[in-house]
Amino acid sequence: MIKINGSEGEGGGQILRSSAALSLLTGKPFHITDIRGKREKPGMMRQHVTCIEAACAISDSSCEGLHVGSSEIIFHPGKIKSGNYNFKVGTAGSTGLVLQTILIPLLYADGPSHIILEGGTHNMMAPPFDFIERVFLPIINRMGPSVSARLIRHGFFPRGGGRIEIDINPAPLKRIDCIDRGELKSVNGTAMFTGLPFDVADREVKAARKVLSWDEEAIGVRQLPEDQGPGNILLLEAQYEHVTEIVSGFGKLGLKAERLAKTAANRLKGYMNSEAFAGPYLADQLLLPMAIAGGGKFTTVKPSQHSLTNAEIISLFTDIKIEFSPTKTGAFLVLIGSK
């Protein structure tokens, strides 16, 4: 039984999600205490419960102590099985984080799977659907499987109500190296909004364009149906030959449109000015699949606490060692291999 303190390192929900995925993949049970111990509201929220429920459903696993507010669970993994699954977060909690929990295990199932996830698709503290579809999944598909994702309906905080569908044709992950991102092919941006004045999105576009010095047609505004809001997100995208990076800024009460846009634009500008293959969020998500593949390497910007904590959890379940080394260009080289 692997013992985990959920308040160590980053101290958030990722410790729980990564532990569940690794438990399914390795067959090792775990006991986690002080779940989300460093969060303002510690314990499991609805989306975290859904993540574990989903992990149990795709494998006939069992879990003790699973309920909203729980700070401790014991998880006993079962055999991963393919199938048609529908998981509802029930709030604006992230559908993407539920997918993060079950995707890699389902790549080792005995057949294809079709997944429907309902809840939030574009909310803070989680990668938006666009990132999953155009940044993360293309790398997974390069590693052997075939995974496609479709956005059926947007879901913003606090209403939720979004829906995504994922088709998974499994295959064992193979090692790849992600060092060279290649030449820049295109840039674009979209300020999406619903249930808010057009002026909000328009100001975001103008502020982002000013920071990035992009042509006027590179960033546009998209209004969504009223029943999918209220909500607002600015998505800024840079597509290279071998990787795409998407930076997002989420609108919220009290945050000026110009400030949101400038922050997001400067983050993308920093990435584009570096030589790193992966931005901070992609780097975090590449650790698990590369570890399960047995190794790999990639370059990234300065590792986040999320990534460092994720590496520690991976080391508890596997014999994989993950090293973060600064390079002369200012990027970091991440080496993943056997201890």
Side-chain angles (χ1 to χ4, degrees):
M1 178 73 67
I2 295 175
K3 306 287 187 178
I4 301 168
N5 184 335
S7 68
E8 291 185 351
E10 181 266 336
Q14 183 180 27
I15 296 175
L16 185 67
R17 293 188 297 273
S18 293
S19 296
L22 284 159
S23 179
L24 293 179
L25 289 159
T26 63
K28 299 176 181 178
F30 69 90
H31 178 194
I32 181 170
T33 58
D34 203 9
I35 296 171
R36 300 182 67 250
K38 288 187 178 179
R39 293 295 183 256
E40 183 178 346
K41 294 182 179 180
M44 298 180 73
M45 298 179 69
R46 180 65 247 177
Q47 70 182 37
H48 306 108
V49 172
T50 305
C51 288
I52 301 302
E53 289 175 340
C56 289
I58 68 165
S59 61
D60 288 331
S61 299
S62 63
C63 184
E64 302 170 36
L66 184 61
H67 58 83
V68 174
S70 175
S71 62
E72 179 179 1
I73 64 169
I74 298 175
F75 187 88
H76 295 275
K79 182 180 179 181
I80 302 166
K81 56 183 183 179
S82 60
N84 297 319
Y85 299 102
N86 188 339
F87 302 115
K88 299 179 181 180
V89 180
T91 65
S94 174
T95 52
L97 296 183
V98 178
L99 179 61
Q100 188 181 84
T101 308
I102 62 176
L103 174 62
I104 306 303
L106 283 173
L107 299 182
Y108 289 83
D110 55 359
S113 294
H114 177 72
I115 312 296
I116 298 173
L117 298 172
E118 299 178 73
T121 62
H122 294 78
N123 42 358
M124 289 180 284
M125 305 299 291
F129 171 83
D130 313 77
F131 182 94
I132 295 169
E133 179 194 31
R134 301 200 294 275
V135 180
F136 178 58
L137 289 184
I139 305 297
I140 292 297
N141 289 338
R142 281 177 54 193
M143 298 178 76
S146 176
V147 184
S148 61
R150 296 176 301 284
L151 176 65
I152 307 303
R153 175 187 168 93
H154 292 79
F156 292 96
F157 179 85
R159 178 180 290 183
R163 178 184 173 114
I164 66 174
E165 297 186 6
I166 303 96
D167 286 302
I168 302 171
N169 288 305
L173 292 166
K174 62 183 180 181
R175 172 177 176 148
I176 63 170
D177 295 336
C178 299
I179 303 297
D180 179 19
R181 64 190 186 192
E183 295 296 321
L184 179 65
K185 296 173 63 178
S186 66
V187 294
N188 67 82
T190 305
M192 293 193 295
F193 76 101
T194 174
L196 299 170
F198 173 84
D199 177 64
V200 173
D202 189 50
R203 285 157 49 207
E204 290 171 354
V205 166
K206 291 176 180 176
R209 188 185 296 134
K210 185 176 181 180
V211 172
L212 295 167
S213 301
W214 288 358
D215 294 337
E216 185 171 340
E217 63 272 14
I219 313 180
V221 173
R222 180 185 176 190
Q223 183 172 9
L224 301 172
E226 290 285 331
D227 64 355
Q228 296 187 24
N232 166 235
I233 183 173
L234 174 66
L235 296 165
L236 301 173
E237 179 174 346
Q239 182 180 6
Y240 292 82
E241 286 182 84
H242 308 305
V243 69
T244 296
E245 173 66 341
I246 293 179
V247 171
S248 55
F250 294 89
K252 63 179 181 178
L253 289 174
L255 177 61
K256 290 186 176 180
E258 290 82 3
R259 183 180 177 187
L260 177 158
K262 289 178 181 178
T263 299
N266 278 314
R267 283 173 51 207
L268 182 63
K269 188 175 183 178
Y271 169 81
M272 296 180 70
N273 287 338
S274 76
E275 295 184 5
F277 179 92
Y281 297 113
L282 179 58
D284 187 31
Q285 295 193 30
L286 287 181
L287 296 178
L288 177 57
M290 285 194 171
I292 297 303
K297 60 184 177 181
F298 62 90
T299 54
T300 185
V301 295
K302 184 178 180 180
S304 66
Q305 187 62 52
H306 263 85
S307 290
L308 298 174
T309 303
N310 208 13
E312 292 176 5
I313 296 298
I314 290 169
S315 70
L316 292 178
F317 286 86
T318 71
D319 62 354
I320 294 296
K321 181 179 181 181
I322 300 176
E323 297 180 335
F324 301 86
S325 304
T327 68
K328 294 180 179 180
T329 66
F332 278 73
L333 176 65
V334 184
L335 294 173
I336 302 165
S338 299
K339 294 177 180 177

